[in-house]
Amino acid sequence: MAQLQRITITPSQLQQQQIFLTPQQQHYLRRVLRLCEGDRLIVMDGLGKWWLAEIAGEQAQVLEELAVETELPIAITLMIALPKGSGFDDVVRSCTEMGVASVAPILSDRTLLNPSPQKLERWRRIAAEAAEQSERAFVPTILEPVTFSHAVTNVTATHSYICEARGEYDHLKNAITQISGEIAIAIGPEGGWTDRELEEAIACSFQPVSLGRRILRAVTAPLVALSLISAACEA
Amino acid sequence: MAQLQRITITPSQLQQQQIFLTPQQQHYLRRVLRLCEGDRLIVMDGLGKWWLAEIAGEQAQVLEELAVETELPIAITLMIALPKGSGFDDVVRSCTEMGVASVAPILSDRTLLNPSPQKLERWRRIAAEAAEQSERAFVPTILEPVTFSHAVTNVTATHSYICEARGEYDHLKNAITQISGEIAIAIGPEGGWTDRELEEAIACSFQPVSLGRRILRAVTAPLVALSLISAACEA
């Protein structure tokens, strides 16, 4: 159990225990995540295989294949506008149980509060505890809070969804066509996303979806979304 | 918005605004629920139509058809072993948002605590608040706590499921074949059902199902189960 960074590769990138990193991946690992020679990371092929690897020059060296019976074959990033009060503790705990890969707290038009570093530490501790209790192999990454614009323009997932209660959007369960790789799902604050945010996300290739006909609280919606995505990609 | 009892009829039971109650339904309404002449109830045809009706002799008189845009076409009864602490408040709140029709607190082998009448009142208040916030047409019924044996032997649903984390059971999402009528789903306490309970439920035609490969807390499992059932019966 370790809070390791994860990247997804195409199967052809792996040859004889060497993972050939793309220039984008090298930049991401070295510059963005600041990993150094010999640092470990998790490499996924998006098809259910995971390896522990370490940075070796422009490549990553496979150390061992990981058994991932309790992990989803898909990496889900939950982008969530911070709810008021202590509700976010429960969101982190429940979403970890449900198999989330990373949680990105979002500062949205309707949630301006920037959490303290203590809060972030607390959420990471909750994620670690919940991962252990739910017998997961890995601890989800709790990212630093970022603005909505930053989050939607920098998303790396192959499929991105934004949940919106009002409006006649496709139900998430019908929108999920993918059962491997990376998925990002954005859940709004109490009161929902503003029109501006919704438009910006759609412009960044987010697909607007519905979670059903009832109005869910900001702390309930992520659980519904994760239930549906994880069920879609598990037999 | 009212905390009314609900029954499901076959379409042929409704003729010219009169609902012909079966002997079982008459017994249930008059003896079990102790409804009297003129008392109101909700009658569902299991196909998405709901009527407000009142007891009139051996029949029920339709008063008006109800618009149920935010209600599921299915009546879900959540049978849940009472979790420790205050977790049950959150379960009632979230499950109401997700569209549950009734919640049956269960005294199981591993949860012996019998809630006080004040607790029951509190849960009913939470259900009423949550129904209003989530824009539901009806308030879920919070039933009196009963023993596990009483609950499984008296279930009236057409399909009943019992969730079990250990063992190789079918995933709930694959087990749901029904999208109308009544469904009962039983969720165990921390530590799961005992073997004895599982056997008793199976003997009462409950189908054992899995909610995925991770171990969920007793307060998370009902949310996953309800997400899957409600998504299965909503377009």
Side-chain angles (χ1 to χ4, degrees):
Chain A
M1 178 109 46
Q3 204 146 1
L4 293 176
Q5 297 294 341
R6 301 170 203 199
I7 61 163
T8 306
I9 60 165
T10 55
S12 66
Q13 284 181 265
L14 174 66
Q15 285 169 29
Q16 294 172 330
Q17 303 296 85
Q18 294 290 324
I19 292 152
F20 294 88
L21 301 169
T22 64
Q24 289 78 10
Q25 286 169 335
Q26 291 176 37
H27 174 84
Y28 178 67
L29 294 169
R30 294 277 192 173
R31 306 280 164 183
V32 181
L33 300 179
R34 304 201 175 280
L35 296 190
C36 302
E37 194 72 8
D39 278 354
R40 294 184 168 196
L41 73 160
I42 293 163
V43 177
M44 309 179 294
D45 70 353
L47 303 167
K49 289 219 171 181
W50 292 34
W51 298 273
L52 183 66
E54 65 180 24
I55 304 280
E58 297 185 350
Q59 303 175 13
Q61 170 70 42
V62 169
L63 301 174
E64 60 174 301
E65 185 172 337
L66 298 167
V68 286
E69 285 176 10
T70 56
E71 292 295 322
L72 295 173
I74 201 164
I76 308 172
T77 294
L78 173 67
M79 299 165 60
I80 177 168
L82 285 168
K84 283 178 210 148
S86 64
F88 202 64
D89 289 8
D90 287 336
V91 170
V92 170
R93 189 175 285 112
S94 303
C95 290
T96 299
E97 288 172 54
M98 290 183 185
V100 78
S102 52
V103 177
I106 304 288
L107 307 173
S108 74
D109 287 349
R110 292 193 173 127
T111 47
L112 298 167
L113 76 167
N114 207 333
S116 64
Q118 288 76 18
K119 281 259 177 171
L120 208 61
E121 264 319 296
R122 177 180 166 77
W123 296 331
R124 287 177 176 154
R125 210 164 52 239
I126 289 172
E129 285 167 10
E132 192 168 326
Q133 281 175 8
S134 58
E135 303 186 3
R136 288 190 58 183
F138 304 100
V139 178
T141 306
I142 312 294
L143 298 165
E144 300 278 339
V146 291
T147 62
F148 181 81
S149 291
H150 185 274
V152 295
T153 50
N154 285 277
V155 72
T156 57
T158 42
H159 280 70
S160 307
Y161 304 97
I162 184 164
C163 298
E164 176 57 40
R166 314 281 170 180
E168 293 288 319
Y169 298 113
D170 223 14
H171 197 295
L172 173 62
K173 70 157 180 166
N174 298 324
I176 306 167
T177 51
Q178 178 197 16
I179 53 164
S180 67
E182 293 176 48
I183 278 185
I185 184 143
I187 309 272
E190 306 292 335
W193 301 110
T194 59
D195 289 346
R196 189 196 69 74
E197 288 170 332
L198 198 59
E199 283 162 21
E200 187 176 5
I202 292 169
C204 292
S205 300
F206 278 70
Q207 179 179 351
V209 290
S210 153
L211 294 176
R213 298 192 197 159
R214 285 155 304 286
I215 303 300
L216 302 172
R217 280 178 304 150
V219 294
T220 309
L223 314 186
V224 174
L226 280 171
S227 298
L228 298 181
I229 299 173
S230 62
C233 64
E234 267 186 347
Chain B
M1 177 108 47
Q3 203 145 1
L4 293 176
Q5 297 294 340
R6 299 169 205 202
I7 62 164
T8 306
I9 59 166
T10 55
S12 66
Q13 284 181 264
L14 174 65
Q15 284 168 29
Q16 292 172 330
Q17 304 294 85
Q18 294 290 324
I19 292 152
F20 294 88
L21 301 169
T22 65
Q24 289 79 9
Q25 286 169 336
Q26 290 176 39
H27 174 84
Y28 178 67
L29 294 170
R30 294 276 193 172
R31 307 280 164 183
V32 181
L33 299 179
R34 303 201 174 280
L35 296 190
C36 302
E37 194 72 9
D39 277 354
R40 293 182 169 197
L41 74 160
I42 293 164
V43 177
M44 308 179 294
D45 70 353
L47 302 168
K49 289 219 171 180
W50 293 34
W51 298 273
L52 183 66
E54 65 179 24
I55 304 282
E58 296 185 351
Q59 303 176 10
Q61 170 71 41
V62 168
L63 301 174
E64 61 174 301
E65 186 171 337
L66 298 168
V68 286
E69 284 176 10
T70 57
E71 292 295 321
L72 295 173
I74 201 165
I76 308 172
T77 294
L78 173 68
M79 299 165 60
I80 178 167
L82 285 168
K84 282 178 210 147
S86 64
F88 203 64
D89 289 9
D90 286 336
V91 169
V92 169
R93 190 175 284 112
S94 303
C95 290
T96 299
E97 288 172 56
M98 290 183 186
V100 78
S102 52
V103 178
I106 304 288
L107 307 173
S108 75
D109 287 349
R110 291 192 175 128
T111 46
L112 298 168
L113 76 166
N114 206 334
S116 64
Q118 287 77 17
K119 281 258 178 173
L120 208 60
E121 263 319 296
R122 178 180 166 77
W123 296 331
R124 287 176 176 155
R125 210 165 50 238
I126 289 171
E129 284 167 10
E132 192 169 326
Q133 281 176 9
S134 58
E135 304 186 1
R136 287 190 59 183
F138 304 100
V139 178
T141 306
I142 312 294
L143 298 165
E144 300 278 341
V146 291
T147 63
F148 181 81
S149 291
H150 185 274
V152 295
T153 50
N154 285 278
V155 72
T156 56
T158 41
H159 280 71
S160 307
Y161 304 97
I162 184 164
C163 298
E164 176 58 39
R166 314 283 170 179
E168 293 289 320
Y169 299 112
D170 223 14
H171 197 296
L172 173 61
K173 70 157 180 166
N174 298 324
I176 306 167
T177 50
Q178 179 197 12
I179 54 163
S180 67
E182 293 176 48
I183 279 186
I185 184 142
I187 309 272
E190 306 292 335
W193 301 110
T194 60
D195 290 345
R196 188 195 69 73
E197 288 170 330
L198 199 58
E199 284 162 21
E200 188 177 4
I202 292 169
C204 292
S205 300
F206 277 71
Q207 179 179 351
V209 290
S210 153
L211 294 176
R213 299 191 196 159
R214 286 155 304 286
I215 304 299
L216 302 172
R217 281 177 304 150
V219 294
T220 309
L223 314 187
V224 174
L226 280 172
S227 299
L228 299 182
I229 299 173
S230 63
C233 64
E234 267 186 346

